[in-house]
Amino acid sequence: MAANKQEDILKAALKMFALRGYDGTTIPMIAEEANVGAGTIYRYFENKQTLVNSLFQNSVRMFSDTLRSDFPETGDMRQKFAHIFRRMGEFSEQYTETLLFIDATAGSYYLDDQSNENFHEFLSFIERQLELGKKEGQIRNMPSKAMISIVYGAFVQLFKVKRNGLLEATPEIMQAVEESCWDAIRMH
Amino acid sequence: MAANKQEDILKAALKMFALRGYDGTTIPMIAEEANVGAGTIYRYFENKQTLVNSLFQNSVRMFSDTLRSDFPETGDMRQKFAHIFRRMGEFSEQYTETLLFIDATAGSYYLDDQSNENFHEFLSFIERQLELGKKEGQIRNMPSKAMISIVYGAFVQLFKVKRNGLLEATPEIMQAVEESCWDAIRMH
Amino acid sequence: MAANKQEDILKAALKMFALRGYDGTTIPMIAEEANVGAGTIYRYFENKQTLVNSLFQNSVRMFSDTLRSDFPETGDMRQKFAHIFRRMGEFSEQYTETLLFIDATAGSYYLDDQSNENFHEFLSFIERQLELGKKEGQIRNMPSKAMISIVYGAFVQLFKVKRNGLLEATPEIMQAVEESCWDAIRMH
Amino acid sequence: MAANKQEDILKAALKMFALRGYDGTTIPMIAEEANVGAGTIYRYFENKQTLVNSLFQNSVRMFSDTLRSDFPETGDMRQKFAHIFRRMGEFSEQYTETLLFIDATAGSYYLDDQSNENFHEFLSFIERQLELGKKEGQIRNMPSKAMISIVYGAFVQLFKVKRNGLLEATPEIMQAVEESCWDAIRMH
DNA sequence: TATGAATGAGCCTTCATTCAT
DNA sequence: AATGAATGAAGGCTCATTCAT
């Protein structure tokens, strides 16, 4: 039951931040959700801003590690895309709040330099893959940032809709969306 | 210059909400941006929540009207898609903050029923078009909500990236993105 | 009734700081004593520390001005001493809390550089007079800091005792104390 | 080194209270200074207030005992004065923080009845000597409280200045101050 | 009508105190 | 006996909202 309080706090903060945003979430809300006293949060995090930044960096690391592990470096672009897309899907299925928290938080005024750097480092991993695919003629000649936007934006929106209970993310649908997204960027 | 204070307030609120979110924006911030006294805001809006809801409903109406006016009811799906996509592009180019405000705000805990209803009514207009397109076999057989997510999510993400100065939305790029999005939903 | 709220706040803060010290005084205590809302204090002072420092500088200025105005520059040491002592007495009679606040506050960790500087500037005025008196052979050859300590320390202590209701500072007593203090420093 | 933890705590508390006052000193500060856990303090003292009161009573007892031991009951006033003054000097030299703590603390709102009583009992010892001296015509006819204020106030102020590093309390200076203070109260 | 001074509820944070280890 | 993690009451401060001008 007791287990790790830092973990409990991070989990509660994630949930609340994903639900109500940083400024709409109070420390007492997090404390209550985590079943700890409000003061306890300050034994683990210097202040509210440190807490979001910790959480953001954790989240980005998890997401990044998920996409990068077992990455088929030697595969062709379609395989790489499949790897990334499916990993994103599995991750988002299991950690929907984490995905939405990352999305809602990236670029916010309360993130520190480290957080921004980590996030951009992650994006640039994706960007490098797309650049490779362009060179190999497998995907379109469009700015990588635009292509990322299309795939990432589409993907995240799907899970927002899912969170709101308007859509199930069944394997069939995920399969169809993967094809859609691939069609959106592959060379025709 | 003075003109309409209510207009000034809405414009200022839009800018600040888009920049810092609802809870991260204070009434004095809006008042300063609008060059009015803080008390003046309460002559036009009952309270902060009424203000966001007004703004949201205005924004959705503007967006919706833009997409619906001159809609080619009799055209084929590709034409309809082109209409919607280009209108979205023009609108977002001119009213980037409005687009991003709508996106950041939709689904938030502080929206009232009217706001939620208006937004869903708008979405269902798009959905109806997609359903038609599916029946006509021009676009894929995928849940409309998923398709909307793909196109809308991609589109909004593009403008988020643009706002952060990482990408220009040139006509060429918008043209390419339109094709990408169409490829993502059309029947192959 | 309304009059000047900043004045009310300073007066209340003075009273409470003199009574309970800086850290023992809460902003709500001051607000209540001043008959204003707690938030109002922050319209006039950036924070609690700014408030003490303002108050301290005001207080030192008042005290200093009182001793310096009409100072008998051309008189002999006894006359100068009488001037200073009586002015101190009148001031302390009228503004006992101000005197005790200055005494309790001088040297505290929460004073800023400006406050410390102002206070030392004031002390050095007294010191200069004593140095003159020593040169003229009218007062003892003892470090000025020691002589100031004797007179000032004795004086302040008297008013502490008075505040506690253990002693009246009648003209006769003040007269006697003046003689005592003069005897303590004059050349024998 | 370890020896007596209660002693360590009292010493640490004395130092911190003398430096930052009662309300400006936190229990963790004291614990750190005493090299004990914060909880340990509560094994020796019921709470913070009990701690100051213990410390105050200890301090007053030490001071009082110092002045009273070997007191020349049969000597004349000048001898008695010399005894008191020199004992005060030796005590303050060795236990400067104790002297300043007593001074800063006497009369504070957080002292309990016992503390106040002990302190007044101590003062009344001095007062009795002065009353005797007055009867014998060796010292002035001034309220004893005023005379105590003069000598005690002067004395304490000297050590405040010393603590701030602005003055050394050399034997010569102490000798001179003793004479000054005697001159301030003796019959002329 | 417009303002901004005033308010107090509520937020972030600290810290005296408790208690399981 | 000693610790320090945990707590929640309370402090400093902000800000949505009111209201006298």
PDB file of all heavy atoms in Angstrom, chain C residues 20 23-24 109 140 142 149-150 153-154 157 161 173 180 183-184 186 188, chain D residues 20 23-24 109 140 142 149-150 153-154 157 161 180 183-184 186 188:
ATOM      1  N   ARG C  20       5.751  42.326  18.917  1.00  0.00           N
ATOM      2  CA  ARG C  20       6.021  40.898  18.730  1.00  0.00           C
ATOM      3  C   ARG C  20       7.206  40.603  17.824  1.00  0.00           C
ATOM      4  O   ARG C  20       7.493  39.442  17.542  1.00  0.00           O
ATOM      5  CB  ARG C  20       4.784  40.201  18.154  1.00  0.00           C
ATOM      6  CG  ARG C  20       3.539  40.361  19.017  1.00  0.00           C
ATOM      7  CD  ARG C  20       2.338  39.698  18.343  1.00  0.00           C
ATOM      8  NE  ARG C  20       2.638  38.367  17.885  1.00  0.00           N
ATOM      9  CZ  ARG C  20       2.252  37.250  18.501  1.00  0.00           C
ATOM     10  NH1 ARG C  20       1.528  37.322  19.604  1.00  0.00           N
ATOM     11  NH2 ARG C  20       2.574  36.075  18.007  1.00  0.00           N
ATOM     12  N   ASP C  23       9.316  38.525  12.855  1.00  0.00           N
ATOM     13  CA  ASP C  23       8.873  37.172  12.522  1.00  0.00           C
ATOM     14  C   ASP C  23       7.665  36.734  13.336  1.00  0.00           C
ATOM     15  O   ASP C  23       6.959  35.817  12.941  1.00  0.00           O
ATOM     16  CB  ASP C  23      10.024  36.187  12.736  1.00  0.00           C
ATOM     17  CG  ASP C  23      11.102  36.332  11.684  1.00  0.00           C
ATOM     18  OD1 ASP C  23      10.795  36.143  10.506  1.00  0.00           O
ATOM     19  OD2 ASP C  23      12.253  36.661  12.046  1.00  0.00           O
ATOM     20  N   GLY C  24       7.423  37.387  14.435  1.00  0.00           N
ATOM     21  CA  GLY C  24       6.278  37.042  15.264  1.00  0.00           C
ATOM     22  C   GLY C  24       5.020  37.779  14.854  1.00  0.00           C
ATOM     23  O   GLY C  24       3.955  37.565  15.415  1.00  0.00           O
ATOM     24  N   TYR C 109      18.633  40.578  10.433  1.00  0.00           N
ATOM     25  CA  TYR C 109      18.997  39.921   9.178  1.00  0.00           C
ATOM     26  C   TYR C 109      18.088  40.295   8.020  1.00  0.00           C
ATOM     27  O   TYR C 109      18.431  40.084   6.864  1.00  0.00           O
ATOM     28  CB  TYR C 109      18.999  38.394   9.358  1.00  0.00           C
ATOM     29  CG  TYR C 109      17.645  37.794   9.601  1.00  0.00           C
ATOM     30  CD1 TYR C 109      16.875  37.338   8.545  1.00  0.00           C
ATOM     31  CD2 TYR C 109      17.121  37.685  10.888  1.00  0.00           C
ATOM     32  CE1 TYR C 109      15.625  36.784   8.759  1.00  0.00           C
ATOM     33  CE2 TYR C 109      15.873  37.141  11.109  1.00  0.00           C
ATOM     34  CZ  TYR C 109      15.136  36.687  10.052  1.00  0.00           C
ATOM     35  OH  TYR C 109      13.899  36.147  10.256  1.00  0.00           O
ATOM     36  N   ARG C 140      34.985  62.511  28.207  1.00  0.00           N
ATOM     37  CA  ARG C 140      36.069  61.560  28.470  1.00  0.00           C
ATOM     38  C   ARG C 140      36.742  61.034  27.206  1.00  0.00           C
ATOM     39  O   ARG C 140      36.153  61.013  26.139  1.00  0.00           O
ATOM     40  CB  ARG C 140      35.511  60.337  29.216  1.00  0.00           C
ATOM     41  CG  ARG C 140      34.765  60.759  30.422  1.00  0.00           C
ATOM     42  CD  ARG C 140      34.229  59.566  31.153  1.00  0.00           C
ATOM     43  NE  ARG C 140      33.392  60.075  32.226  1.00  0.00           N
ATOM     44  CZ  ARG C 140      33.169  59.436  33.353  1.00  0.00           C
ATOM     45  NH1 ARG C 140      33.703  58.240  33.554  1.00  0.00           N
ATOM     46  NH2 ARG C 140      32.425  59.987  34.277  1.00  0.00           N
ATOM     47  N   MET C 142      37.193  58.101  25.716  1.00  0.00           N
ATOM     48  CA  MET C 142      36.719  56.716  25.678  1.00  0.00           C
ATOM     49  C   MET C 142      36.238  56.526  24.244  1.00  0.00           C
ATOM     50  O   MET C 142      35.806  57.495  23.617  1.00  0.00           O
ATOM     51  CB  MET C 142      35.536  56.594  26.646  1.00  0.00           C
ATOM     52  CG  MET C 142      35.133  55.191  27.002  1.00  0.00           C
ATOM     53  SD  MET C 142      33.515  55.197  27.793  1.00  0.00           S
ATOM     54  CE  MET C 142      33.834  56.130  29.272  1.00  0.00           C
ATOM     55  N   SER C 149      27.022  53.808  23.250  1.00  0.00           N
ATOM     56  CA  SER C 149      26.357  52.642  23.828  1.00  0.00           C
ATOM     57  C   SER C 149      25.792  52.972  25.193  1.00  0.00           C
ATOM     58  O   SER C 149      24.656  52.619  25.530  1.00  0.00           O
ATOM     59  CB  SER C 149      27.341  51.481  23.953  1.00  0.00           C
ATOM     60  OG  SER C 149      27.748  51.060  22.672  1.00  0.00           O
ATOM     61  N   ILE C 150      26.602  53.650  25.978  1.00  0.00           N
ATOM     62  CA  ILE C 150      26.164  53.964  27.337  1.00  0.00           C
ATOM     63  C   ILE C 150      24.915  54.833  27.317  1.00  0.00           C
ATOM     64  O   ILE C 150      23.879  54.502  27.919  1.00  0.00           O
ATOM     65  CB  ILE C 150      27.303  54.662  28.115  1.00  0.00           C
ATOM     66  CG1 ILE C 150      28.428  53.649  28.361  1.00  0.00           C
ATOM     67  CG2 ILE C 150      26.784  55.224  29.436  1.00  0.00           C
ATOM     68  CD1 ILE C 150      29.706  54.268  28.890  1.00  0.00           C
ATOM     69  N   GLY C 153      22.042  53.132  25.086  1.00  0.00           N
ATOM     70  CA  GLY C 153      21.575  51.911  25.756  1.00  0.00           C
ATOM     71  C   GLY C 153      20.767  52.237  26.995  1.00  0.00           C
ATOM     72  O   GLY C 153      19.677  51.688  27.217  1.00  0.00           O
ATOM     73  N   ALA C 154      21.276  53.134  27.789  1.00  0.00           N
ATOM     74  CA  ALA C 154      20.572  53.533  29.001  1.00  0.00           C
ATOM     75  C   ALA C 154      19.202  54.115  28.651  1.00  0.00           C
ATOM     76  O   ALA C 154      18.172  53.753  29.229  1.00  0.00           O
ATOM     77  CB  ALA C 154      21.404  54.561  29.759  1.00  0.00           C
ATOM     78  N   GLN C 157      16.701  51.513  27.242  1.00  0.00           N
ATOM     79  CA  GLN C 157      16.262  50.609  28.303  1.00  0.00           C
ATOM     80  C   GLN C 157      15.200  51.269  29.174  1.00  0.00           C
ATOM     81  O   GLN C 157      14.220  50.636  29.578  1.00  0.00           O
ATOM     82  CB  GLN C 157      17.464  50.180  29.152  1.00  0.00           C
ATOM     83  CG  GLN C 157      17.154  49.148  30.204  1.00  0.00           C
ATOM     84  CD  GLN C 157      16.641  47.844  29.590  1.00  0.00           C
ATOM     85  OE1 GLN C 157      17.008  47.494  28.479  1.00  0.00           O
ATOM     86  NE2 GLN C 157      15.772  47.156  30.317  1.00  0.00           N
ATOM     87  N   VAL C 161      11.424  49.780  29.891  1.00  0.00           N
ATOM     88  CA  VAL C 161      10.826  49.618  31.216  1.00  0.00           C
ATOM     89  C   VAL C 161       9.533  50.414  31.302  1.00  0.00           C
ATOM     90  O   VAL C 161       8.531  49.959  31.846  1.00  0.00           O
ATOM     91  CB  VAL C 161      11.826  50.061  32.306  1.00  0.00           C
ATOM     92  CG1 VAL C 161      11.143  50.088  33.666  1.00  0.00           C
ATOM     93  CG2 VAL C 161      13.024  49.120  32.326  1.00  0.00           C
ATOM     94  N   ILE C 173      12.217  62.688  36.408  1.00  0.00           N
ATOM     95  CA  ILE C 173      13.063  61.529  36.149  1.00  0.00           C
ATOM     96  C   ILE C 173      13.928  61.766  34.919  1.00  0.00           C
ATOM     97  O   ILE C 173      15.131  61.494  34.920  1.00  0.00           O
ATOM     98  CB  ILE C 173      12.193  60.264  35.993  1.00  0.00           C
ATOM     99  CG1 ILE C 173      11.606  59.902  37.368  1.00  0.00           C
ATOM    100  CG2 ILE C 173      13.007  59.112  35.445  1.00  0.00           C
ATOM    101  CD1 ILE C 173      10.682  58.702  37.357  1.00  0.00           C
ATOM    102  N   SER C 180      22.520  61.977  34.924  1.00  0.00           N
ATOM    103  CA  SER C 180      23.249  60.724  35.066  1.00  0.00           C
ATOM    104  C   SER C 180      24.076  60.436  33.825  1.00  0.00           C
ATOM    105  O   SER C 180      25.264  60.107  33.896  1.00  0.00           O
ATOM    106  CB  SER C 180      22.279  59.563  35.283  1.00  0.00           C
ATOM    107  OG  SER C 180      21.930  59.465  36.641  1.00  0.00           O
ATOM    108  N   ASP C 183      26.883  62.792  33.416  1.00  0.00           N
ATOM    109  CA  ASP C 183      27.953  62.437  34.345  1.00  0.00           C
ATOM    110  C   ASP C 183      28.734  61.224  33.864  1.00  0.00           C
ATOM    111  O   ASP C 183      29.910  61.054  34.201  1.00  0.00           O
ATOM    112  CB  ASP C 183      27.375  62.141  35.737  1.00  0.00           C
ATOM    113  CG  ASP C 183      26.975  63.427  36.458  1.00  0.00           C
ATOM    114  OD1 ASP C 183      27.479  64.503  36.077  1.00  0.00           O
ATOM    115  OD2 ASP C 183      26.138  63.344  37.380  1.00  0.00           O
ATOM    116  N   ALA C 184      28.028  60.372  33.109  1.00  0.00           N
ATOM    117  CA  ALA C 184      28.685  59.148  32.644  1.00  0.00           C
ATOM    118  C   ALA C 184      29.707  59.424  31.559  1.00  0.00           C
ATOM    119  O   ALA C 184      30.622  58.620  31.343  1.00  0.00           O
ATOM    120  CB  ALA C 184      27.643  58.154  32.144  1.00  0.00           C
ATOM    121  N   ARG C 186      30.956  62.940  30.770  1.00  0.00           N
ATOM    122  CA  ARG C 186      31.733  64.183  30.869  1.00  0.00           C
ATOM    123  C   ARG C 186      33.065  63.902  31.548  1.00  0.00           C
ATOM    124  O   ARG C 186      33.238  62.942  32.281  1.00  0.00           O
ATOM    125  CB  ARG C 186      30.947  65.233  31.649  1.00  0.00           C
ATOM    126  CG  ARG C 186      30.892  64.979  33.145  1.00  0.00           C
ATOM    127  CD  ARG C 186      30.158  66.116  33.853  1.00  0.00           C
ATOM    128  NE  ARG C 186      29.865  65.798  35.236  1.00  0.00           N
ATOM    129  CZ  ARG C 186      30.720  66.050  36.239  1.00  0.00           C
ATOM    130  NH1 ARG C 186      31.919  66.585  35.994  1.00  0.00           N
ATOM    131  NH2 ARG C 186      30.386  65.735  37.472  1.00  0.00           N
ATOM    132  N   HIS C 188      35.744  64.219  34.270  1.00  0.00           N
ATOM    133  CA  HIS C 188      35.661  64.513  35.704  1.00  0.00           C
ATOM    134  C   HIS C 188      36.935  65.151  36.199  1.00  0.00           C
ATOM    135  O   HIS C 188      38.017  64.826  35.743  1.00  0.00           O
ATOM    136  CB  HIS C 188      35.406  63.224  36.496  1.00  0.00           C
ATOM    137  CG  HIS C 188      33.932  62.922  36.575  1.00  0.00           C
ATOM    138  ND1 HIS C 188      33.153  62.752  35.451  1.00  0.00           N
ATOM    139  CD2 HIS C 188      33.081  62.786  37.637  1.00  0.00           C
ATOM    140  CE1 HIS C 188      31.924  62.493  35.817  1.00  0.00           C
ATOM    141  NE2 HIS C 188      31.830  62.519  37.121  1.00  0.00           N
TER     142      HIS C 188
ATOM    143  N   ARG D  20      18.755  35.152  15.460  1.00  0.00           N
ATOM    144  CA  ARG D  20      17.592  35.416  14.605  1.00  0.00           C
ATOM    145  C   ARG D  20      16.303  35.594  15.376  1.00  0.00           C
ATOM    146  O   ARG D  20      15.230  35.767  14.779  1.00  0.00           O
ATOM    147  CB  ARG D  20      17.399  34.276  13.603  1.00  0.00           C
ATOM    148  CG  ARG D  20      18.615  34.010  12.720  1.00  0.00           C
ATOM    149  CD  ARG D  20      18.359  32.851  11.769  1.00  0.00           C
ATOM    150  NE  ARG D  20      17.079  32.942  11.124  1.00  0.00           N
ATOM    151  CZ  ARG D  20      16.870  33.335   9.868  1.00  0.00           C
ATOM    152  NH1 ARG D  20      17.898  33.675   9.127  1.00  0.00           N
ATOM    153  NH2 ARG D  20      15.667  33.379   9.364  1.00  0.00           N
ATOM    154  N   ASP D  23      11.024  33.701  16.828  1.00  0.00           N
ATOM    155  CA  ASP D  23      10.165  33.357  15.695  1.00  0.00           C
ATOM    156  C   ASP D  23      10.935  33.194  14.396  1.00  0.00           C
ATOM    157  O   ASP D  23      10.449  32.583  13.459  1.00  0.00           O
ATOM    158  CB  ASP D  23       9.079  34.427  15.531  1.00  0.00           C
ATOM    159  CG  ASP D  23       8.056  34.361  16.645  1.00  0.00           C
ATOM    160  OD1 ASP D  23       7.383  33.335  16.757  1.00  0.00           O
ATOM    161  OD2 ASP D  23       7.943  35.334  17.410  1.00  0.00           O
ATOM    162  N   GLY D  24      12.119  33.749  14.358  1.00  0.00           N
ATOM    163  CA  GLY D  24      12.933  33.614  13.151  1.00  0.00           C
ATOM    164  C   GLY D  24      13.791  32.361  13.157  1.00  0.00           C
ATOM    165  O   GLY D  24      14.507  32.088  12.192  1.00  0.00           O
ATOM    166  N   TYR D 109       6.355  37.891  24.450  1.00  0.00           N
ATOM    167  CA  TYR D 109       5.013  37.329  24.612  1.00  0.00           C
ATOM    168  C   TYR D 109       5.026  35.818  24.809  1.00  0.00           C
ATOM    169  O   TYR D 109       4.044  35.243  25.259  1.00  0.00           O
ATOM    170  CB  TYR D 109       4.149  37.681  23.399  1.00  0.00           C
ATOM    171  CG  TYR D 109       4.577  37.019  22.124  1.00  0.00           C
ATOM    172  CD1 TYR D 109       4.016  35.812  21.725  1.00  0.00           C
ATOM    173  CD2 TYR D 109       5.549  37.589  21.289  1.00  0.00           C
ATOM    174  CE1 TYR D 109       4.395  35.200  20.557  1.00  0.00           C
ATOM    175  CE2 TYR D 109       5.943  36.982  20.121  1.00  0.00           C
ATOM    176  CZ  TYR D 109       5.364  35.793  19.768  1.00  0.00           C
ATOM    177  OH  TYR D 109       5.757  35.182  18.605  1.00  0.00           O
ATOM    178  N   ARG D 140      22.428  58.140  44.065  1.00  0.00           N
ATOM    179  CA  ARG D 140      21.424  59.184  43.888  1.00  0.00           C
ATOM    180  C   ARG D 140      20.024  58.765  44.317  1.00  0.00           C
ATOM    181  O   ARG D 140      19.687  57.587  44.331  1.00  0.00           O
ATOM    182  CB  ARG D 140      21.341  59.571  42.407  1.00  0.00           C
ATOM    183  CG  ARG D 140      22.672  59.955  41.886  1.00  0.00           C
ATOM    184  CD  ARG D 140      22.606  60.266  40.432  1.00  0.00           C
ATOM    185  NE  ARG D 140      23.976  60.453  39.982  1.00  0.00           N
ATOM    186  CZ  ARG D 140      24.314  61.259  39.004  1.00  0.00           C
ATOM    187  NH1 ARG D 140      23.405  61.945  38.342  1.00  0.00           N
ATOM    188  NH2 ARG D 140      25.583  61.383  38.669  1.00  0.00           N
ATOM    189  N   MET D 142      17.084  58.388  42.874  1.00  0.00           N
ATOM    190  CA  MET D 142      16.393  58.255  41.579  1.00  0.00           C
ATOM    191  C   MET D 142      15.691  56.906  41.660  1.00  0.00           C
ATOM    192  O   MET D 142      16.184  56.008  42.350  1.00  0.00           O
ATOM    193  CB  MET D 142      17.454  58.223  40.480  1.00  0.00           C
ATOM    194  CG  MET D 142      16.942  58.453  39.080  1.00  0.00           C
ATOM    195  SD  MET D 142      18.209  57.988  37.882  1.00  0.00           S
ATOM    196  CE  MET D 142      19.506  59.114  38.258  1.00  0.00           C
ATOM    197  N   SER D 149      18.029  50.594  34.698  1.00  0.00           N
ATOM    198  CA  SER D 149      17.937  50.776  33.253  1.00  0.00           C
ATOM    199  C   SER D 149      19.223  51.376  32.714  1.00  0.00           C
ATOM    200  O   SER D 149      19.749  50.952  31.680  1.00  0.00           O
ATOM    201  CB  SER D 149      16.773  51.699  32.900  1.00  0.00           C
ATOM    202  OG  SER D 149      15.556  51.083  33.246  1.00  0.00           O
ATOM    203  N   ILE D 150      19.702  52.389  33.430  1.00  0.00           N
ATOM    204  CA  ILE D 150      20.895  53.078  32.948  1.00  0.00           C
ATOM    205  C   ILE D 150      22.081  52.118  32.898  1.00  0.00           C
ATOM    206  O   ILE D 150      22.734  51.955  31.871  1.00  0.00           O
ATOM    207  CB  ILE D 150      21.210  54.284  33.853  1.00  0.00           C
ATOM    208  CG1 ILE D 150      20.128  55.359  33.657  1.00  0.00           C
ATOM    209  CG2 ILE D 150      22.585  54.856  33.535  1.00  0.00           C
ATOM    210  CD1 ILE D 150      20.198  56.491  34.666  1.00  0.00           C
ATOM    211  N   GLY D 153      21.142  48.859  30.718  1.00  0.00           N
ATOM    212  CA  GLY D 153      20.976  49.238  29.311  1.00  0.00           C
ATOM    213  C   GLY D 153      22.311  49.587  28.671  1.00  0.00           C
ATOM    214  O   GLY D 153      22.614  49.129  27.566  1.00  0.00           O
ATOM    215  N   ALA D 154      23.090  50.374  29.360  1.00  0.00           N
ATOM    216  CA  ALA D 154      24.398  50.750  28.847  1.00  0.00           C
ATOM    217  C   ALA D 154      25.245  49.507  28.622  1.00  0.00           C
ATOM    218  O   ALA D 154      25.876  49.324  27.576  1.00  0.00           O
ATOM    219  CB  ALA D 154      25.080  51.693  29.829  1.00  0.00           C
ATOM    220  N   GLN D 157      24.019  47.252  25.718  1.00  0.00           N
ATOM    221  CA  GLN D 157      24.257  47.903  24.433  1.00  0.00           C
ATOM    222  C   GLN D 157      25.723  47.754  24.022  1.00  0.00           C
ATOM    223  O   GLN D 157      26.038  47.525  22.854  1.00  0.00           O
ATOM    224  CB  GLN D 157      23.855  49.380  24.515  1.00  0.00           C
ATOM    225  CG  GLN D 157      23.941  50.128  23.198  1.00  0.00           C
ATOM    226  CD  GLN D 157      23.022  49.540  22.131  1.00  0.00           C
ATOM    227  OE1 GLN D 157      21.967  49.013  22.452  1.00  0.00           O
ATOM    228  NE2 GLN D 157      23.458  49.623  20.881  1.00  0.00           N
ATOM    229  N   VAL D 161      27.065  46.048  20.503  1.00  0.00           N
ATOM    230  CA  VAL D 161      28.020  46.670  19.586  1.00  0.00           C
ATOM    231  C   VAL D 161      29.239  45.777  19.412  1.00  0.00           C
ATOM    232  O   VAL D 161      29.761  45.602  18.317  1.00  0.00           O
ATOM    233  CB  VAL D 161      28.433  48.062  20.111  1.00  0.00           C
ATOM    234  CG1 VAL D 161      29.567  48.637  19.289  1.00  0.00           C
ATOM    235  CG2 VAL D 161      27.231  48.992  20.085  1.00  0.00           C
ATOM    236  N   SER D 180      32.241  55.121  34.260  1.00  0.00           N
ATOM    237  CA  SER D 180      31.144  55.901  33.695  1.00  0.00           C
ATOM    238  C   SER D 180      29.830  55.542  34.365  1.00  0.00           C
ATOM    239  O   SER D 180      29.054  56.425  34.766  1.00  0.00           O
ATOM    240  CB  SER D 180      31.018  55.619  32.187  1.00  0.00           C
ATOM    241  OG  SER D 180      31.907  56.426  31.460  1.00  0.00           O
ATOM    242  N   ASP D 183      29.698  56.707  37.879  1.00  0.00           N
ATOM    243  CA  ASP D 183      29.461  58.157  37.911  1.00  0.00           C
ATOM    244  C   ASP D 183      28.010  58.489  37.613  1.00  0.00           C
ATOM    245  O   ASP D 183      27.501  59.528  38.029  1.00  0.00           O
ATOM    246  CB  ASP D 183      30.349  58.857  36.872  1.00  0.00           C
ATOM    247  CG  ASP D 183      31.803  58.934  37.337  1.00  0.00           C
ATOM    248  OD1 ASP D 183      32.046  58.814  38.564  1.00  0.00           O
ATOM    249  OD2 ASP D 183      32.692  59.102  36.488  1.00  0.00           O
ATOM    250  N   ALA D 184      27.378  57.601  36.837  1.00  0.00           N
ATOM    251  CA  ALA D 184      25.992  57.870  36.458  1.00  0.00           C
ATOM    252  C   ALA D 184      25.032  57.670  37.620  1.00  0.00           C
ATOM    253  O   ALA D 184      23.939  58.232  37.621  1.00  0.00           O
ATOM    254  CB  ALA D 184      25.584  56.965  35.289  1.00  0.00           C
ATOM    255  N   ARG D 186      26.208  57.324  41.232  1.00  0.00           N
ATOM    256  CA  ARG D 186      26.671  57.735  42.556  1.00  0.00           C
ATOM    257  C   ARG D 186      26.216  59.157  42.872  1.00  0.00           C
ATOM    258  O   ARG D 186      25.945  59.957  41.969  1.00  0.00           O
ATOM    259  CB  ARG D 186      28.196  57.648  42.641  1.00  0.00           C
ATOM    260  CG  ARG D 186      28.915  58.763  41.900  1.00  0.00           C
ATOM    261  CD  ARG D 186      30.412  58.643  42.087  1.00  0.00           C
ATOM    262  NE  ARG D 186      31.131  59.548  41.206  1.00  0.00           N
ATOM    263  CZ  ARG D 186      31.429  60.798  41.538  1.00  0.00           C
ATOM    264  NH1 ARG D 186      31.041  61.307  42.697  1.00  0.00           N
ATOM    265  NH2 ARG D 186      32.093  61.572  40.687  1.00  0.00           N
ATOM    266  N   HIS D 188      26.624  62.852  43.738  1.00  0.00           N
ATOM    267  CA  HIS D 188      27.672  63.817  43.398  1.00  0.00           C
ATOM    268  C   HIS D 188      27.739  64.907  44.445  1.00  0.00           C
ATOM    269  O   HIS D 188      26.719  65.284  45.002  1.00  0.00           O
ATOM    270  CB  HIS D 188      27.396  64.449  42.032  1.00  0.00           C
ATOM    271  CG  HIS D 188      27.979  63.621  40.919  1.00  0.00           C
ATOM    272  ND1 HIS D 188      27.670  62.291  40.762  1.00  0.00           N
ATOM    273  CD2 HIS D 188      28.867  63.911  39.936  1.00  0.00           C
ATOM    274  CE1 HIS D 188      28.319  61.819  39.721  1.00  0.00           C
ATOM    275  NE2 HIS D 188      29.072  62.765  39.195  1.00  0.00           N
TER     276      HIS D 188
END
